[in-house]
Amino acid sequence: GAVVSQHPSRVICKSGTSVKIECRSLDFQATTMFWYRQFPKQSLMLMATSNEGSKATYEQGVEKDKFLINHASLTLSTLTVTSAHPEDSSFYICSAREPGQSGNTIYFGEGSWLTVV
Amino acid sequence: AQSVTQPDIHITVSEGASLELRCNYSYGATPYLFWYVQSPGQGLQLLLKYFSGDTLVQGIKGFEAEFKRSQSSFNLRKPSVHWSDAAEYFCAVGRRGGNKLTFGTGTQLKVEL
């Protein structure tokens, strides 16, 4: 079946630095990908919609200058957390819709743990 | 606006017992409904989905869910739970033609041996 892959699965960075997380659709082309954030023992909150070849659409309250999203190809979207702070530590998950016949089937990546120290 | 409610934060069942996880949604039209499972520290795995047609949908790992429009529910069931089913389960709703999903708060399933 369709596979969405994220890299890295875990990353530790120093406060004030930037870190990039990649999301790849391995079996299909995804014009749209989604980035979610999940705090421990909580549900997933949509951060932004990544659109291939155009600007991302951010949800209310998400700082677009802090969470930079680039969707440079039909199989790759990247999330860059800029000037990271400890409160940015979280589990980040991407998803992509498999295009096709029966409507929306949305697959998720394995997630990326970010720890800012 | 669409919303999803999973009333049970934690559920504990004995291995071999039946399981039902509740999910209620609020949506103005016919929704797309999903159940995902998440093991600790892992991403989400799609268990099953409902788009249209037969209201009883079968998924992977022996799970099934029934869409009941009159009750705005999409409860997940399994006749006999295995210890490996212990995980967090999320119900989600999406819009036809759209891609955004709104998730419930999740139900943590524990399985007693």
Side-chain angles (χ1 to χ4, degrees):
Chain A
V3 176
V4 175
S5 179
Q6 280 183 243
H7 177 81
S9 57
R10 291 180 181 274
V11 58
I12 299 173
C13 71
K14 291 185 178 181
S15 186
T17 63
S18 296
V19 60
K20 180 185 290 186
I21 301 170
E22 294 183 345
C23 178
R24 294 182 184 273
S25 58
L26 300 183
D27 297 335
F28 59 95
Q29 293 182 329
T31 56
T32 305
M33 293 184 177
F34 301 87
W35 287 95
Y36 292 82
R37 183 175 181 176
Q38 185 182 30
F39 291 102
K41 300 189 183 299
Q42 295 189 26
S43 188
L44 285 77
M45 300 299 295
L46 179 66
M47 299 175 63
T49 302
S50 174
N51 304 299
E52 189 269 334
S54 64
K55 292 182 178 181
T57 305
Y58 290 82
E59 296 300 302
Q60 190 173 7
V62 177
E63 300 176 62
K64 60 180 67 176
D65 293 332
K66 181 168 188 60
F67 298 99
L68 300 180
I69 291 173
N70 184 274
H71 196 148
S73 76
L74 288 172
T75 59
L76 174 64
S77 175
T78 60
L79 169 68
T80 301
V81 183
T82 63
S83 187
H85 290 129
E87 56 265 31
D88 298 326
S89 300
S90 188
F91 191 53
Y92 293 88
I93 309 179
C94 71
S95 69
R97 181 174 73 91
E98 181 184 22
Q101 59 283 48
S102 60
N104 294 354
T105 296
I106 299 173
Y107 294 93
F108 283 79
E110 312 96 324
S112 299
W113 282 104
L114 170 62
T115 302
V116 184
V117 297
Chain B
Q2 57 200 46
S3 66
V4 178
T5 302
Q6 292 180 248
D8 304 305
I9 298 175
H10 297 100
I11 282 184
T12 300
V13 299
S14 299
E15 188 175 39
S18 63
L19 171 71
E20 182 170 31
L21 302 182
R22 295 184 292 169
C23 172
N24 293 96
Y25 67 90
S26 174
Y27 191 69
T30 302
Y32 283 173
L33 294 159
F34 305 82
W35 274 100
Y36 289 89
V37 60
Q38 184 181 34
S39 296
Q42 302 296 313
L44 276 69
Q45 182 182 23
L46 178 66
L47 286 177
L48 48 77
K49 58 186 184 291
Y50 171 78
F51 293 152
S52 64
D54 193 346
T55 56
L56 183 63
V57 294
Q58 303 296 321
I60 62 172
K61 304 183 178 184
F63 286 93
E64 65 178 27
E66 186 171 12
F67 170 58
K68 292 186 177 180
R69 184 189 302 273
S70 61
Q71 299 177 18
S72 296
S73 69
F74 188 57
N75 294 347
L76 182 71
R77 300 193 294 251
K78 186 170 185 177
S80 178
V81 171
H82 189 263
W83 63 267
S84 60
D85 293 325
E88 185 92 21
Y89 290 81
F90 290 96
C91 180
V93 63
R95 179 175 60 87
R96 282 183 184 272
N99 302 292
K100 295 182 183 181
L101 293 185
T102 298
F103 284 85
T105 49
T107 298
Q108 181 73 47
L109 173 65
K110 294 184 179 179
V111 180
E112 292 181 333
L113 299 177

